[in-house]
Amino acid sequence: MTEQGVRRTVEQVLALAPDAASRKAGSRLGAAGPWSGTGSGEGTVWGLCKGSGSRPYQTVVDLAGAAGPAYKCSCPSRKFPCKHALGLLLLWAGDDGSVPAAVQPPDWAGQWLADRRGRAETKRARAEERSAAGPADPEAARQRAERRAERVTAGATELEQRLADLLRGGLASAEQAGYGLWDETAARMVDAQAPGLAARVRELGAVPASGAGWPARLLEECALLHLLDQGWLRRDRLPDALAATVRSRLGLPATPDGPPVRDHWLVLAQYDAVDPKLTTRRIWLHGAGSGLTRLLLSYGAAGRAPELSLPVGLAVEAELTAYPGAGQSRAALGERFAPPAPAAFRPPGVTTAEAAARYGEALREDPWLESVPVALDRVIPVPDGDGWQLADADTDTALPVTRAARSRSGLWRLVALSGGAPVTVFGECGHRGVTPLTAWPEGAGEAVPLC
């Protein structure tokens, strides 16, 4: 099979779905019944799917794109991938002969493929030209950065005053004011070009309605905001790495810095966070040789999935370049030297106690860190009152499963995979507990996405 034709598993295909409804609808189309004219070859899968109209939908998936799979379908859906693309990939994943290998795609698929790869080549060439030419006007860029820094400073100073007013008037005033106080303050931070401050301020509005003990939680969040403000206002006194972390937390742009690391990167997890304006995709990778765990972020406009997509459980040989900042996991994907391929390794696991300690250590470098990536070795999902926890099979320690993870179907996939036996779980561990993202059974077995 060609580089691009590494066959996905059913779990890897379903992990590409933009939402639960698409996952369900795509699963219904993963059988041969509605399909005709299917084929695969040269990194492409195509087929015709019978719909409600007289003409079948033309569906094609490009698996060879540098940023991951791309999709084209003649249906009116605005989701990427749509249910027809998911159904086609599920049919192909079944490997039962329903999608035969072919030398050439049909004209309608071949034309789209040629146009897409031509645009990608043009884009790459232009990027190389811009890189060779260097910055057009470094002085203008410096002046823009200075003007933004002045606006951010004004916003941070105003936020300090508002936090002082809140504490002077008492936390009960936050409960009475509701979301209005924080929405208006967040808007002021947006005007100051500090989106990171704006996001944290908006979150304060929900704290008074979060149940018993909310005043302590609100005070904690205000303290972290104050610390971030002071970090920016006194950034010239900070070590370079911590100053870079403060800029990142404020939402200021940064560029990858440092030498690229070439490795075979195992795709640990991929999931999307959706808000009304933006879809953010998080992809966790683990290097077989370097032992590093790195995070890729990609973005899509509202209603559209980000372009970058990597199949969970496979490994890709590529270069990653880290972003600046103390304790930062984020990296940029550089050149890819081979397609995603089955991996014969897993991330090394730790105990639940070691995972909690790892998060505590990371907070010394980044006090605003919500969680750290961890692979928990030999844990068992067990109920705990109204919640769940991941308990060590060999010790008497455990970590609670976060409230958000308890409401997802992935928790039940994890329980079914375990069946009371130990499993390896990769997830994000923070002050609210652990969010399971991927699991592996004991011994041999493929990765099972949980998100």
Side-chain angles (χ1 to χ4, degrees), residues 90-449:
L90 288 170
L91 187 65
W92 180 60
D95 197 18
D96 61 356
S98 299
V99 184
V103 177
Q104 293 292 335
D107 291 343
W108 56 267
Q111 185 60 53
W112 173 78
L113 183 64
D115 291 345
R116 170 178 163 75
R117 294 183 179 175
R119 289 193 300 269
E121 181 61 27
T122 300
K123 183 178 180 181
R124 184 191 63 79
R126 289 176 178 173
E128 290 179 353
E129 291 175 1
R130 288 194 299 269
S131 178
D137 191 344
E139 179 60 23
R142 184 189 65 79
Q143 292 178 3
R144 287 193 298 271
E146 288 182 352
R147 288 194 295 270
R148 180 167 188 177
E150 291 172 357
R151 286 191 286 269
V152 173
T153 297
T157 302
E158 179 180 348
L159 182 56
E160 283 291 277
Q161 184 59 53
R162 297 196 177 204
L163 290 174
D165 292 343
L166 172 65
L167 296 178
R168 188 179 299 111
L171 296 181
S173 62
E175 185 177 28
Q176 297 167 0
Y179 282 94
L181 169 66
W182 304 114
D183 286 344
E184 192 270 337
T185 304
R188 297 286 294 168
M189 296 305 103
V190 171
D191 293 341
Q193 294 188 293
L197 285 180
R200 286 182 171 272
V201 167
R202 287 193 191 96
E203 292 174 358
L204 296 182
V207 176
S210 62
W214 71 262
R217 290 192 291 274
L218 180 60
L219 190 60
E220 291 171 358
E221 294 301 323
C222 288
L224 286 172
L225 258 180
H226 169 69
L227 184 64
L228 186 55
D229 273 344
Q230 290 298 315
W232 172 259
L233 296 174
R234 305 183 186 188
R235 61 192 180 280
D236 56 330
R237 306 182 193 177
L238 299 179
D240 290 344
L242 183 55
T245 298
V246 169
R247 288 193 291 271
S248 173
R249 293 301 177 188
L250 286 167
L252 301 185
T255 56
D257 185 24
V261 178
R262 180 171 176 174
D263 207 338
H264 288 83
W265 298 97
L266 174 65
V267 184
L268 295 173
Q270 173 179 294
Y271 69 95
D272 294 347
V274 181
D275 65 34
K277 295 183 179 180
L278 189 70
T279 298
T280 302
R281 174 163 293 166
R282 296 168 64 89
I283 302 176
W284 284 107
L285 305 174
H286 179 79
S290 65
L292 299 172
T293 300
R294 289 291 180 255
L295 173 66
L296 304 181
L297 295 179
S298 59
Y299 304 93
R304 297 180 66 91
E307 184 177 1
L308 180 60
S309 180
L310 297 175
V312 174
L314 301 188
V316 58
E317 184 180 3
E319 289 182 340
L320 297 187
T321 304
Y323 279 81
Q328 299 298 294
S329 299
R330 187 184 175 189
L333 179 63
E335 184 176 357
R336 294 166 66 176
F337 303 97
F345 66 98
R346 299 179 181 181
V350 299
T351 66
T352 55
E354 290 169 335
R358 181 174 296 180
Y359 176 59
E361 293 168 0
L363 288 175
R364 292 185 300 183
E365 296 184 321
D366 183 356
W368 308 278
L369 189 64
E370 290 289 329
S371 61
V372 294
V374 294
L376 300 173
D377 188 34
R378 289 182 53 77
V379 292
I380 303 172
V382 296
D384 177 29
D386 293 334
W388 285 79
Q389 58 184 0
L390 298 183
D392 274 318
D394 306 314
T395 70
D396 59 355
T397 60
L399 284 172
V401 175
T402 59
R403 182 185 300 272
R406 296 201 302 266
S407 64
R408 299 172 186 163
S409 61
L411 174 61
W412 302 111
R413 289 201 296 273
L414 175 60
V415 173
L417 178 69
S418 166
V423 292
T424 298
V425 175
F426 172 78
E428 296 172 345
C429 177
H431 62 282
R432 295 184 178 89
V434 61
T435 299
L437 300 175
T438 308
W440 294 262
E442 282 271 272
E446 296 179 340
V448 177

